[in-house]
Amino acid sequence: MFISDKTRINEKIRGKEFRIISFDGEQLGIMTAEQAWNLASSQGYDLVEIAPSATPPVCKIMDYSKYKYEQTRKLKEAKKNQKQVVIKEIKVTARIDSHDLETKLNPGYLIL
């Protein structure tokens, strides 16, 4: 998930009214688009659309570059903690000895 593709900020947000959440997390109520943009710009932050499908859409006043950085960092951390499955393949012929077959049947091998 890339944040810049889906998240709308400042003038890219379309709508008449928004539910606004302040930088501190306090709900400021429902405002018009112009009031919300003016409030965010006067505080030196960006207006970021958090929940576009809500009625009315929810926007938060925040530093967008910091938000984007934190989201990409979370994605990298989640990717780092993923376990990757490694499958080893071996070929078994008709002339293989029984002991060799037992050795190759250890966990981690896939017989073709």
Side-chain angles (χ1 to χ4, degrees), residues 35-52:
Q35 289 173 337
W37 291 328
N38 290 336
L39 182 63
S41 63
S42 69
Q43 294 179 359
Y45 294 113
D46 298 310
L47 186 65
V48 180
E49 189 174 35
I50 301 296

Side-chain angles (χ1 to χ4, degrees), residues 3 64-74 76:
I3 295 106
Y64 180 68
S65 59
K66 183 177 178 182
Y67 172 71
K68 186 176 175 182
Y69 171 75
E70 289 173 354
Q71 292 297 322
T72 54
R73 192 168 175 184
K74 284 180 187 179
K76 285 181 183 179

Side-chain angles (χ1 to χ4, degrees), residues 84-97:
Q84 293 183 349
V85 178
V86 177
I87 299 175
K88 297 180 181 179
E89 299 177 4
I90 59 169
K91 290 186 178 180
V92 179
T93 61
R95 295 180 42 186
I96 193 166
D97 192 26

